[in-house]
Amino acid sequence: ELYRLMVSQGAHFEETGYYARDLESLDFEPGSGVRIDLLQADGNGFSAIATSGDAECAVYSGGVRSPRGYVSLPDRPSCRE
Protein backbone atom coordinates (compact mmCIF):
# COMPACT_ATOMS: atom_id res chain seq x y z
CA GLU A 1 0.00 0.00 0.00
CA LEU A 2 2.87 2.38 0.67
CA TYR A 3 4.18 1.87 -2.85
CA ARG A 4 0.74 2.79 -4.21
CA LEU A 5 0.73 5.83 -1.94
CA MET A 6 4.11 6.91 -3.27
CA VAL A 7 2.81 6.76 -6.86
CA SER A 8 -0.30 8.76 -5.93
CA GLN A 9 1.74 11.34 -4.04
CA GLY A 10 4.18 11.65 -6.95
CA ALA A 11 1.35 12.33 -9.39
CA HIS A 12 -0.20 14.86 -7.01
CA PHE A 13 3.14 16.63 -6.64
CA GLU A 14 3.58 16.81 -10.41
CA GLU A 15 0.15 18.44 -10.75
CA THR A 16 0.23 20.80 -7.77
CA GLY A 17 3.83 21.29 -6.62
CA TYR A 18 3.15 19.86 -3.16
CA TYR A 19 2.33 16.54 -1.54
CA ALA A 20 -1.23 15.89 -0.34
CA ARG A 21 -1.92 16.16 3.38
CA ASP A 22 -4.81 13.70 3.34
CA LEU A 23 -5.81 10.58 1.48
CA GLU A 24 -9.06 12.13 0.25
CA SER A 25 -7.10 14.68 -1.81
CA LEU A 26 -5.39 11.77 -3.52
CA ASP A 27 -8.63 9.83 -3.99
CA PHE A 28 -6.69 7.03 -2.28
CA GLU A 29 -8.28 4.24 -0.31
CA PRO A 30 -6.03 1.69 1.39
CA GLY A 31 -6.70 -1.99 0.95
CA SER A 32 -8.87 -3.92 3.37
CA GLY A 33 -7.48 -4.01 6.89
CA VAL A 34 -4.78 -1.42 6.20
CA ARG A 35 -4.68 1.98 7.88
CA ILE A 36 -2.44 4.71 6.50
CA ASP A 37 -1.58 7.86 8.44
CA LEU A 38 0.06 10.75 6.62
CA LEU A 39 2.30 12.37 9.22
CA GLN A 40 3.80 15.18 7.17
CA ALA A 41 3.16 16.50 3.68
CA ASP A 42 4.15 19.78 2.03
CA GLY A 43 6.20 21.03 -0.89
CA ASN A 44 9.34 19.36 0.46
CA GLY A 45 8.14 15.78 0.90
CA PHE A 46 5.86 13.47 2.83
CA SER A 47 5.97 10.72 5.44
CA ALA A 48 3.44 8.03 6.22
CA ILE A 49 2.88 4.97 8.38
CA ALA A 50 0.80 1.95 7.38
CA THR A 51 -0.55 -0.52 9.92
CA SER A 52 -2.36 -3.80 9.54
CA GLY A 53 -2.90 -5.89 12.63
CA ASP A 54 0.44 -5.98 14.45
CA ALA A 55 2.43 -5.09 11.33
CA GLU A 56 3.74 -1.55 10.84
CA CYS A 57 5.58 -0.13 7.85
CA ALA A 58 6.61 3.42 7.04
CA VAL A 59 8.01 5.55 4.24
CA TYR A 60 9.24 9.06 3.62
CA SER A 61 10.15 10.99 0.52
CA GLY A 62 11.91 14.25 -0.18
CA GLY A 63 13.25 16.61 2.45
CA VAL A 64 11.26 15.45 5.47
CA ARG A 65 12.34 13.37 8.45
CA SER A 66 11.93 9.63 8.58
CA PRO A 67 8.77 8.79 10.52
CA ARG A 68 10.40 5.85 12.30
CA GLY A 69 13.96 4.85 13.18
CA TYR A 70 13.73 1.65 11.15
CA VAL A 71 13.26 3.63 7.91
CA SER A 72 16.73 4.70 6.87
CA LEU A 73 16.37 5.50 3.16
CA PRO A 74 13.89 7.79 1.41
CA ASP A 75 11.45 6.29 -1.10
CA ARG A 76 11.98 2.80 0.36
CA PRO A 77 9.14 1.53 2.53
CA SER A 78 10.46 -0.43 5.50
CA CYS A 79 8.72 -2.50 8.14
CA ARG A 80 9.29 -2.89 11.85
CA GLU A 81 10.74 -6.26 12.72
Side-chain angles (χ1 to χ4, degrees):
E1 292 302 304
L2 291 176
Y3 284 109
R4 286 191 333 115
L5 177 65
M6 290 171 52
V7 170
S8 294
Q9 283 283 34
H12 189 271
F13 183 82
E14 288 295 318
E15 290 179 20
T16 65
Y18 62 90
Y19 294 95
R21 293 180 159 202
D22 57 71
L23 299 179
E24 293 81 24
S25 297
L26 296 171
D27 196 25
F28 184 93
E29 187 168 325
S32 178
V34 177
R35 175 186 167 143
I36 293 183
D37 294 304
L38 286 171
L39 304 177
Q40 184 176 359
D42 55 29
N44 295 317
F46 78 94
S47 63
I49 294 174
T51 54
S52 179
D54 291 337
E56 179 185 275
C57 300
V59 69
Y60 73 102
S61 184
V64 300
R65 289 184 9 188
S66 171
R68 294 287 195 256
Y70 59 81
V71 184
S72 58
L73 297 172
D75 303 316
R76 288 245 175 115
S78 297
C79 298
R80 177 179 59 198
E81 296 192 18

